[in-house]
Amino acid sequence: MSQFASVLSQLFPGLVPILAAALGGLATEYVGVLNIALEGLIMAGGFSYVAVGSAWGPEAGFVAALAVPAAIAWLQDLYARKARADAFVVGLSVNLLVPGLASLLSQLLFGTKGVVADPSLASARLPRLLPGLPVLGPLFGLQRLSDWLALSVAFLAAAVLAWTPFGLRARAAGMNPESLELAGVRPGRIRGQAYLLSGLACGASGAALAAAIGAWVPNLSAGRGWIALVAVYLGAKRLGGTLLASLAFALLLALANAAQALHSLPADLIAAAPFAVTAVVVVAGAFLRRAKRPAVPAGGGNRAGRPPA
Amino acid sequence: MKRTLVALAAVAALLASCQGRTPARDLASVAVFVPGVASGSPIYEMLVAGAEKAVAGIPGARLKVIEGGYDQSTWLDKLRDIAASGEFDLLVTSNPALPELCAKIAADWPELRFFIADGYLEGNPAIHTVLYNQAEQGYLVGYLAALVTMDRNPGGPLVAGLVAAQRYPTLDRLIQPGFEAGLKAVDPGFRLEYREIGNWYDANKAAELARSVFDAGARVILPIAGGAGLGVVSAATELDRSVVWFDGAGYQLGPDTVVGCATLAQDRLVEERVKALLEGKRLFGTADIVGAADGYVGFDPGGPAYAALPAELRLRFETAIQDLREGKPDFTLTGF
Amino acid sequence: MKRETGDLEPLAPVPPSRNVEALRRLGLSAGLSALLVAVLAFLASSDPGSTLAGFFLSPFRARNAVPSMLEAAAPLAICALGALLAFKAGHFSLGGEGQLYAGAFMAAAAGAAVVPGPAGFLAAVLAGMAGGALVAAPAAAGKRWADADVLLTSFLVSQVALYTVDWAIGGPFRDTGNNLVAMPAIPAPSLLPRIMSPSTLTPAPLVALALAVGLWFFMSRTREGTMLSLYGRNPLFARLQGFPVGTLSWLPIVAGGAAHGLAGAFLALGSNGTAVRGMSGGLGWSAIGVTLIAGNEPLAVPFAALLFAWLDLGARQAAIISDLPPDAAMIVKALVIMAATARPLLRRLGGIMRGGRP
Amino acid sequence: MQLLACSGIHKRFPSTGTQALAGADFFLEKGEVHALVGENGAGKSTLARVVCGLLEPDAGTLSVDGRPVRFRSHRDAERSGIGLVPQHSMLAPGLTVAENLALGHEPRRGLAFFDGRRAVYEAAMLADRFGFSVPPDARVSDLGPSGRREAEILRAVARGSRVLVLDEPTSILSEEESSRLFALIRRLKDAGTGIVYISHRAREILELADRVTVLRDGRTLATVGARQLDECSLAELIIPTGACASEGGSRGSAAEPVLEFRGAMTAGGAGLDLTVRSGEIVGVAALEGNSLDELEDLAAGVTVPGARQLFLRGRELHGDGRDAAARREVAYLPTDREGRGLSARSPARDNLLASRLRGYSPRAYAGRKRPREDAAGLAAAFGIRGDLSRPADALSGGNRQRLVAARELDGRPGLVIAANPAQGLDPAARASVFRRLLELREQGSAVLLLSQDPLDLAELADRSFILYRGRLSPIPPEGLQEGRLSSLLTGAFA
């Protein structure tokens, strides 16, 4: 029972960063582009939280953590569109650029490339809301304010995608940009806004990670952006699916942490599991889709995101 | 066109003047290679501080600090660059993994000399190493962890945690056995909860693992995790549990959380040895092991959380420190 | 949404030939790198002068730095050539990192197991290539049998390989006597011979160069190469022409994997002497950057790889001499890759450099 | 006053180098149905897109109610009351009908939320008003062709159209669906809407239109009152060379069957049976939307046929990589020259030699001399001008067309699939391609000729069929002789 409660209590802090980033990935998938830069954007969020927060307090830090990655993502898309560069390659560069810049700025601002700790940035735990309950207690009580804040941003992103005119337009842009042309909406603008949302959500993820430990640690995201991306694909690029897949991964990782107590499985192999599962799902999904739809040009259908050959 | 020629000539002249530099005979130019990041890492901060003090005492000696970052697979290239730059006579560093790498460099650059603290390699004529008896350090924090656990949770489970970045020989052979020996010296019923992060940076995962250790009943954790150790401290702070720290100067990370902090007199050691080497002492080829008896492994009682512990507990612990200095229990190492 | 890949752009004037474009791209990348380095030196360093000296002079002045730079460029170029082959066939394989790592692991395992000497060397090289190909295989099979997205599957399998090799090097295959997380050393007779000790130079750069020429020949002088590039740009066309699309849909991916494995084997058989945990260290990603900067021209790849090797070495040298963080190289690389894919921008710049109007 | 006036409209597409419009004029009165006709590629759809603000003209003026206007997006056109029913779907397939209608004008609830229920309600009201049966909450991808078309029309009229542009609206509709559409058009017309009606179907045009404007090569040829026309004269207007004058004789059926369809299914209808024998040209004609493209896809191996439905020389074709060897004896001149006939970013020379790569020894190919000479020879024979070492898409449109023809029609293919072979060719090139097809027949090739242009059939085919609403019916010889092709095609005989 206590093991179970332990897994549950770990589920939430593990879930928030992955979920927020996954929604960020979903935002651009809605408009039909893969934002490979989630990892970099999470780091941008985490670093901004600490860099701005240590100067002007955690509230300002949180705002910066949202604003900076949003701006980066928006610029990233603007550059890709205006310079006709491949969106995918630009995303890859952002993944290289952000850790480099963070390290450089960290050196300039704090005189270290390493850990920047500021205990005042560590987010406070909320009071235990539901003390007596065995399951809900650990799940809902005793969690960090920052996690709840980041979760609200994630929820906001989900709401924007699901229930606003923007979400509708984004989906239309991803399915058939011409439908927007007839509606008098510029698909490029929608794409830019989707990137903006993507950066915002990733920023929330980064802020949650940094606030949980009250510090900037190089490589803060530690692969969570990739897992988020994988969750989007495992969730079939749909809102509900992405939520479920994120939850499944968070559960898997929490279980893996708990399983270490048993010394049964090496940590590295557990870390490989989400990727292996998703690879199987992606291939099986493609196979089924192809079996269902025989009239597809075999050996044709290159993905749109090809390198400039 | 003309301008290009002039520029080329200038570059050529510059190159020629650089080539003409005569290499120094004596050891005078020191490179400190930090296999990680100095700031925030006490043992590396002491490495730098000790080397700086030593160099300051020798007229004409120069010092340059180069940070290698946490990615161990890049260290060899970086060391090679330092050697290849031809700027340095003595390379000072500190990490159990470094002797092997430095031996590779020494094979290619025979005139370069190495001093490695916290590592062990005997018989290489270019390399001098000094190993800390990490088992003693582990024993100290283990003993304290056991006392704190029993004080905080009388009659509770006899469990303490060790959250490590990844496994490596010093951890397996010295730190962990020492830590367990410390726990069991207080009560043989103690059990160790070991967790592994998989890298030296994922502080969030460290925090999650620490929580699972605390959930398993532990009151105290020893993190051996570099930057990720911060996650253990923040988890302990939140859950009102405790952390014992390794390698010194951990109190400021969590004034109410870090109940004790074992120390290495790395700054003193590095200063002494570098100074000796620069003065021409023929130590290369030898490997020393230092420990509690000669004061290089110790304990820093200056933390607020330590001061807040019950006086009798502190008394018992300080007795244990004294015993260790006198060889009880005996962790003597003859080699590694 | 329609992807605005740069090459869809119809050009009013006749586009320059691929060679000219590759040259121009390389030149501009090098120029841009130099410019960015200078900017960073002034922004982020307290001593821009020696930082610049570190970047621009040390790599050419320090003892044996140039041969070491060649050596560092070799695996990068080999990976980039492997990636290029897959790209040419229209498969955007992102698995390089894992393929390289698996190659290094397999090479170290084989090199330590087989009798020292040429046999051990050969076994290590072959095992490395097999390791890389093995990691590429699931993505290739997924493409062949299910038409699954190579971009995604290759990345996913590569991640699995990275973690699995991490586990293997840190666990069952670890040299437990070593504080470095690494495998047992490969016996010296099985290693690549060192040519200019103390530099790290081995024959690997020659192999890379030979592979570049070989790939160039394959792509432009063989029927199969022509089919591959026609297929890569329009698979349906290739199928309607009766090309062996079944083979073309998987073999280039596996061959690219084998190339990454070869690079990994060279890493293990070079100065490291074994496989070290985290050895791939972003090389697979850098190789994609090299491919892009080389404009997908095999003959330009060695030069682009040298550019990246210089950036790495220059940044490390600048860090030794001055106080510029080595991450400066990462920033420069990222920006150069970004710029290299912007075709109209490149052309306009090229026009300016030729003295014409943009 | 004219409701809509376009004069001297020019539009050039730099990407393909085609001058789509070169001085088109078009005037629309209030409450009239004005048909816009012309050959494929005459510029009808381009003009429609200019009128609707989807393209900005290079030159020329647009005015609505006598006031000059300039449309930067469709929204501008919409503000002037112009709605479009495009030829190819511009709906977002994964959204519902109501969501598609709402796009760009979403009803809101609360501060910023999309009011999906109101969108459905509005769409239902609109559908009701026009007597449409399309369910507003259905996903577009789940709808049949008529449902989609209804959705398109609903979207066009949703903003209160004063001008409605319909581009080939009936191409995918059944007879009954079409007549419902016509009733709607009449009602809109009576309400004062001006309707631009683009169609190939003469009968529809004569039934609906008040006036007809004929485009040819991007210019306005004439505007004629519809009452002065009958089906034959309309067909004459659209396609200049006299259809009546053409002669096509059927030859004695030749020897060996090469390509056989045995009950091959298309989405549009029943199984198709068709045999093409060596030494004959079998022609199939149809208008757009009558599954001619599906037939092309099946024959060429783009789509996968059902089991045991398609045979080449008695061997079953699977429509995938297994057919590679069989494909090599098939010459295929696709309708979609760019998408299927070229790997456009590869050098023109590689494209030209793609079908004969296997003929070279590795040494000869590496030597480059022979391939270069062969390519130059082919280029000269088919009049391809341009640098062959540059990517094929650096060639001009006409040269690209000739490149595909040169590659496919050279040599001695066992089977030739020629889909719209004359499309986009100037008269001289057309004549040379046709000559070559006849030569191939004489040499014993089997030729399957698919065309939207009946004249192609009249000129070339030994046997002719018409494909109408998914069914294949033989055209009696008198059908060709009496010059009633257009009426045939519009369904009189089907």
Side-chain angles (χ1 to χ4, degrees):
Chain A
M1 186 62 218
S2 82
Q3 203 65 49
F4 178 64
S6 162
V7 169
L8 272 185
S9 73
Q10 282 190 45
L11 182 60
F12 186 70
L15 171 66
V16 169
I18 290 177
L19 180 64
L23 288 168
L26 187 65
T28 65
E29 285 294 345
Y30 262 38
V31 295
V33 246
L34 167 71
N35 186 4
I36 197 90
L38 300 186
E39 183 83 356
L41 293 172
I42 296 175
M43 282 193 234
F47 184 76
S48 307
Y49 176 73
V50 174
V52 174
S54 64
W56 290 291
E59 294 81 8
F62 196 83
V63 171
L66 297 182
V68 172
I72 293 176
W74 187 76
L75 286 173
Q76 165 194 348
D77 173 60
L78 188 74
Y79 175 76
R81 279 187 290 127
K82 294 294 168 197
R84 289 163 174 270
D86 190 277
F88 182 83
V89 176
V90 175
L92 280 183
S93 319
V94 168
N95 276 342
L96 273 179
L97 188 63
V98 171
L101 273 181
S103 170
L104 195 71
L105 288 175
S106 169
Q107 177 84 57
L108 292 177
L109 295 175
F110 305 104
T112 174
K113 301 186 300 183
V115 175
V116 179
D118 184 343
S120 73
L121 292 177
S123 173
R125 288 229 161 202
L126 293 173
R128 191 183 275 268
L129 297 174
L130 304 157
L133 300 173
V135 175
L136 295 178
L139 198 56
F140 292 107
L142 259 188
Q143 303 295 357
R144 283 182 214 94
L145 181 64
S146 59
D147 283 344
W148 284 108
L149 267 176
L151 190 71
S152 334
V153 174
F155 178 76
L156 199 74
V160 165
L161 289 177
W163 295 321
T164 65
F166 167 77
L168 195 69
R169 293 171 180 192
R171 273 187 291 159
M175 293 163 187
N176 183 0
E178 287 193 322
S179 64
L180 283 185
E181 238 178 287
L182 269 196
V185 180
R186 277 199 218 113
R189 248 177 103 155
I190 296 292
R191 189 172 126 171
Q193 288 162 358
Y195 264 89
L196 196 80
L197 190 65
S198 183
L200 205 75
C202 289
S205 168
L209 287 173
I213 51 172
W216 158 252
V217 184
N219 210 343
L220 177 80
S221 49
R224 288 175 183 82
W226 297 110
I227 291 186
L229 210 54
V230 161
V232 175
Y233 273 81
L234 196 62
K237 304 182 190 176
R238 299 212 169 160
L239 189 57
T242 303
L243 295 176
L244 276 180
S246 305
L247 191 65
F249 282 157
L251 193 64
L252 183 72
L253 295 176
L255 280 173
N257 286 345
Q260 275 207 17
L262 309 171
H263 287 279
S264 52
L265 278 172
D268 286 322
L269 292 186
I270 293 168
F275 297 101
V277 169
T278 309
V280 171
V281 169
V282 167
V283 172
F287 191 79
L288 290 179
R289 230 176 300 132
R290 184 154 120 150
K292 221 166 51 182
R293 195 162 34 100
V296 159
N302 248 323
R303 189 193 160 77
R306 279 180 310 171
Chain B
M1 192 62 206
K2 215 171 196 175
R3 213 181 292 167
T4 322
L5 279 179
V6 172
L8 275 176
V11 171
L14 194 62
L15 285 173
S17 71
C18 295
Q19 302 273 310
R21 189 176 59 93
T22 49
R25 290 270 150 204
D26 304 321
L27 303 183
S29 178
V30 179
V32 177
F33 178 74
V34 178
V37 175
S39 163
S41 165
I43 193 157
Y44 294 146
E45 281 173 351
M46 287 190 283
L47 168 73
V48 173
E52 276 169 351
K53 263 191 249 167
V55 167
I58 310 272
R62 301 187 295 118
L63 179 95
K64 169 77 192 169
V65 179
I66 297 134
E67 291 189 329
Y70 290 110
D71 184 357
Q72 61 157 17
S73 67
T74 65
W75 292 345
L76 187 62
D77 279 341
K78 284 170 180 160
L79 289 170
R80 202 181 294 280
D81 286 339
I82 294 171
S85 73
E87 305 261 341
F88 307 104
D89 312 313
L90 176 65
L91 195 148
V92 176
T93 183
S94 164
N95 185 303
L98 262 299
E100 283 101 345
L101 298 178
C102 289
K104 279 188 185 165
I105 302 293
D108 288 340
W109 310 87
E111 70 275 31
L112 188 60
R113 293 288 175 268
F114 302 85
F115 167 61
I116 305 160
D118 195 19
Y120 191 86
L121 181 75
E122 203 169 4
N124 187 314
I127 301 176
H128 172 52
T129 64
V130 178
L131 179 71
Y132 297 106
N133 194 334
Q134 297 279 23
E136 292 178 337
Q137 199 185 181
Y139 175 82
L140 281 181
V141 288
Y143 200 96
L144 178 65
L147 291 177
V148 171
T149 304
M150 294 171 76
D151 173 64
R152 289 280 159 84
N153 194 11
L158 298 178
V159 183
L162 172 59
V163 174
Q166 57 193 36
R167 291 208 163 273
Y168 57 101
T170 310
L171 176 72
D172 291 344
R173 292 192 213 160
L174 301 178
I175 299 174
Q176 189 177 338
F179 187 61
E180 282 184 273
L183 294 172
K184 289 187 183 347
V186 176
D187 188 326
F190 256 98
R191 183 165 59 82
L192 182 69
E193 284 282 335
Y194 174 81
R195 297 287 190 279
E196 198 171 311
I197 303 163
N199 59 56
W200 295 87
Y201 48 77
D202 193 347
N204 290 83
K205 185 170 178 192
E208 284 162 27
L209 288 173
R211 256 177 247 129
S212 84
V213 171
F214 289 132
D215 283 343
R219 297 277 142 174
V220 187
I221 291 180
L222 167 66
I224 307 283
L230 199 69
V232 177
V233 177
S234 81
T237 308
E238 277 175 3
L239 298 174
D240 199 21
R241 305 284 166 100
S242 305
V243 167
V244 286
W245 201 252
F246 220 59
D247 292 355
Y251 289 119
Q252 86 283 357
L253 291 173
D256 304 321
T257 307
V258 180
V259 288
C261 185
T263 55
L264 296 177
Q266 166 116 319
D267 46 353
R268 177 157 66 92
L269 179 83
V270 171
E271 185 188 348
E272 287 167 5
R273 299 292 164 118
V274 170
K275 202 165 175 190
L277 292 170
L278 291 179
E279 282 167 350
K281 284 244 174 65
R282 300 262 136 239
L283 291 169
F284 297 109
T286 65
D288 294 344
I289 297 173
V290 298
D294 29 16
Y296 289 105
V297 172
F299 184 83
D300 176 5
Y306 179 72
L309 291 173
E312 66 188 282
L313 190 158
R314 274 183 287 143
L315 190 66
R316 197 175 157 195
F317 178 58
E318 274 149 28
T319 317
I321 299 177
Q322 199 50 47
D323 288 348
L324 185 69
R325 285 205 186 111
E326 289 157 15
K328 287 183 293 184
D330 183 11
F331 287 102
T332 305
L333 293 169
T334 51
F336 182 73
Chain C
M1 152 157 281
K2 270 182 201 147
R3 307 258 318 199
E4 292 172 1
T5 37
D7 21 42
L8 298 179
E9 184 213 19
L11 291 159
V14 183
S17 84
R18 294 196 63 85
N19 296 336
V20 172
E21 195 172 332
L23 259 177
R24 183 184 299 165
R25 188 191 301 261
L26 263 177
L28 284 167
S29 300
L32 183 63
S33 307
L35 188 73
L36 286 169
V37 165
V39 170
L40 277 175
F42 279 96
L43 282 181
S45 165
S46 59
D47 182 4
S50 52
T51 301
L52 288 176
F55 243 108
F56 292 103
L57 295 180
S58 300
F60 308 100
R61 190 190 67 188
R63 255 172 77 197
N64 299 301
V66 170
S68 294
M69 198 155 78
L70 288 174
E71 179 69 17
L76 204 51
I78 295 173
C79 287
L81 290 168
L84 192 150
L85 181 68
F87 289 2
K88 282 276 187 190
H91 309 304
F92 204 3
S93 168
L94 286 191
E97 195 78 5
Q99 293 159 7
L100 175 88
Y101 200 24
F105 165 71
M106 295 278 281
V114 178
V115 275
F121 173 76
L122 205 65
V125 166
L126 291 177
M129 291 174 69
L134 198 70
V135 174
K143 177 69 187 175
R144 173 70 183 84
W145 303 115
D147 205 18
D149 188 358
V150 174
L151 183 116
L152 201 61
T153 49
S154 62
F155 168 73
L156 292 169
V157 177
S158 160
Q159 290 297 109
V160 174
L162 285 172
Y163 284 116
T164 310
V165 175
D166 265 354
W167 164 75
I169 294 182
F173 288 87
R174 175 155 183 191
D175 176 7
T176 46
N178 193 331
N179 265 297
L180 203 62
V181 184
M183 289 167 64
I186 304 169
S190 298
L191 295 178
L192 278 165
R194 298 271 290 271
I195 297 179
M196 282 177 68
S197 197
S199 84
T200 53
L201 189 65
T202 69
L206 287 177
V207 176
L209 207 60
L211 283 176
V213 174
L215 187 61
W216 164 79
F217 185 83
F218 173 74
M219 291 307 303
S220 61
R221 293 286 194 276
T222 68
R223 299 164 300 164
E224 292 76 11
T226 306
M227 287 185 195
L228 183 134
S229 72
L230 286 166
Y231 167 81
R233 289 168 175 149
N234 189 345
L236 178 58
F237 169 80
R239 189 154 67 79
L240 295 175
Q241 289 296 324
F243 292 176
V245 287
T247 312
L248 287 169
S249 66
W250 66 270
L251 190 56
I253 303 174
V254 171
H260 280 85
L262 178 66
F266 280 0
L267 278 187
L269 293 166
S271 62
N272 283 296
T274 188
V276 182
R277 189 180 158 119
M279 193 177 209
S280 53
L283 205 80
W285 295 113
S286 287
I288 292 175
V290 167
T291 312
L292 293 169
I293 286 176
N296 270 344
E297 280 301 303
L299 291 181
V301 163
F303 300 100
L306 268 177
L307 175 65
F308 270 34
W310 165 68
L311 278 173
D312 282 334
L313 186 68
R316 290 204 301 261
Q317 292 288 347
I320 290 172
I321 298 186
S322 156
D323 58 352
L324 187 74
D327 306 283
M330 250 163 98
I331 298 173
V332 174
K333 274 189 203 170
L335 292 173
V336 169
I337 292 173
M338 239 188 241
T341 59
R343 298 197 144 206
L345 184 79
L346 211 64
R347 275 199 200 109
R348 222 167 289 155
L349 278 174
I352 294 170
M353 284 177 69
R354 278 198 315 275
R357 283 178 23 157
Chain D
M1 189 193 300
Q2 273 137 354
L3 181 54
L4 172 75
C6 321
S7 49
I9 306 289
H10 284 73
K11 180 71 196 177
R12 184 170 185 277
F13 293 108
S15 55
T16 54
T18 41
Q19 184 76 42
L21 291 175
D25 303 312
F26 182 80
F27 304 96
L28 180 72
E29 301 288 347
K30 215 169 162 231
E32 83 165 332
V33 176
H34 195 147
L36 194 56
V37 300
E39 286 178 278
N40 293 322
K44 304 182 299 280
S45 289
T46 308
L47 184 58
R49 291 173 76 83
V50 166
V51 164
C52 297
L54 291 171
L55 289 173
E56 277 201 68
D58 301 329
T61 55
L62 282 177
S63 52
V64 174
D65 290 332
R67 275 190 304 276
V69 286
R70 192 169 160 215
F71 299 149
R72 281 185 193 79
S73 75
H74 181 63
R75 207 167 192 147
D76 291 346
E78 224 174 47
R79 282 201 198 94
S80 298
I82 300 176
L84 170 71
V85 178
Q87 185 181 355
H88 302 291
S89 172
M90 287 173 80
L91 297 169
L95 300 187
T96 66
V97 173
E99 286 169 338
N100 265 293
L101 290 188
L103 217 50
H105 310 269
E106 300 86 354
R108 287 168 203 237
R109 176 165 43 96
L111 275 177
F113 291 117
F114 169 59
D115 190 342
R117 272 167 54 194
R118 208 170 112 208
V120 170
Y121 174 76
E122 284 173 2
M125 293 294 288
L126 201 64
D128 199 43
R129 181 142 62 95
F130 292 109
F132 279 9
S133 60
V134 56
D137 52 355
R139 211 178 277 276
V140 168
S141 53
D142 296 339
L143 294 175
S146 78
R148 287 184 197 200
R149 187 97 309 164
E150 285 190 0
E152 299 266 13
I153 295 168
L154 278 181
R155 176 169 64 183
V157 296
R159 315 277 156 241
S161 287
R162 303 174 60 214
V163 175
L164 189 61
V165 181
L166 297 145
D167 194 356
E168 302 275 0
T170 56
S171 63
I172 52 171
L173 297 187
S174 71
E175 204 86 46
E176 191 211 326
E177 289 162 348
S178 297
S179 57
R180 274 230 308 276
L181 175 69
F182 295 164
L184 167 69
I185 290 173
R186 291 205 184 87
R187 245 185 299 151
L188 285 168
K189 171 189 154 156
D190 294 343
T193 303
I195 289 167
V196 183
Y197 191 88
I198 300 172
S199 176
H200 277 103
R201 297 182 176 172
R203 212 174 51 182
E204 286 176 1
I205 293 168
L206 295 176
E207 189 182 331
L208 273 177
D210 301 306
R211 290 195 295 166
V212 177
T213 287
V214 185
L215 286 184
R216 189 177 301 160
D217 301 329
R219 283 188 192 83
T220 300
L221 197 69
T223 298
V224 198
R227 258 175 291 169
Q228 302 163 21
L229 295 169
D230 59 18
E231 286 188 25
C232 195
S233 56
L234 180 56
E236 281 288 312
L237 266 178
I238 298 172
I239 298 156
T241 36
C244 311
S246 73
E247 58 179 285
S250 84
R251 285 162 194 263
S253 70
E256 189 202 351
V258 177
L259 182 70
E260 290 171 85
F261 291 87
R262 299 186 191 160
M265 299 295 289
T266 58
L272 302 175
D273 288 294
L274 183 69
T275 304
V276 189
R277 293 165 193 279
S278 60
E280 69 167 347
I281 299 180
V282 173
V284 178
L287 285 181
E288 275 171 44
N290 276 305
S291 316
L292 195 64
D293 46 352
E294 285 183 57
L295 188 64
E296 180 185 340
D297 288 354
L298 274 174
V302 174
T303 52
V304 178
R308 305 199 58 77
Q309 288 182 347
L310 184 64
F311 294 84
L312 184 71
R313 292 193 198 284
R315 286 194 311 273
E316 186 179 353
L317 289 176
H318 305 282
D320 57 22
R322 278 177 286 174
D323 298 341
R327 284 292 146 218
R328 287 198 285 278
E329 67 167 306
V330 178
Y332 173 38
L333 207 56
T335 306
D336 179 6
R337 306 270 210 275
E338 309 279 328
R340 297 181 178 179
L342 291 172
S343 187
R345 285 181 292 144
S346 288
R349 182 179 296 117
D350 293 351
N351 273 288
L352 202 47
L353 298 178
S355 61
R356 49 163 74 194
L357 282 175
R358 277 163 212 276
Y360 297 104
S361 70
R363 219 191 134 126
Y365 193 73
R368 296 212 289 177
K369 187 159 171 270
R370 259 189 55 207
R372 275 166 189 262
E373 283 170 4
D374 289 352
L378 269 179
F382 283 80
I384 303 164
R385 277 185 296 276
D387 186 345
L388 295 180
S389 62
R390 292 280 153 78
D393 56 11
L395 295 177
S396 73
N399 279 314
R400 285 199 296 267
Q401 298 271 356
R402 284 193 281 273
L403 192 160
V404 178
R407 181 188 61 230
E408 297 296 329
L409 302 183
D410 187 59
R412 303 190 60 163
L415 171 68
V416 180
I417 300 164
N420 296 306
Q423 166 195 294
L425 294 182
D426 56 54
R430 180 178 188 269
S432 91
V433 166
F434 278 26
R435 223 174 15 250
R436 182 65 196 144
L437 286 173
L438 291 170
E439 269 171 40
L440 286 169
R441 178 184 67 181
E442 297 311 320
Q443 288 167 9
S445 297
V447 181
L448 175 62
L449 172 70
L450 307 170
S451 180
Q452 286 163 351
D453 187 345
L455 274 183
D456 294 352
L457 266 63
E459 234 172 285
L460 291 172
D462 300 314
R463 293 188 288 139
S464 298
F465 294 86
I466 184 161
L467 184 65
Y468 189 71
R469 306 224 155 125
R471 266 195 299 279
L472 213 50
S473 338
I475 304 179
E478 67 270 19
L480 290 162
Q481 278 158 9
E482 289 172 18
R484 292 162 62 192
L485 262 174
S486 53
S487 58
L488 270 170
L489 288 171
T490 48
F493 274 71

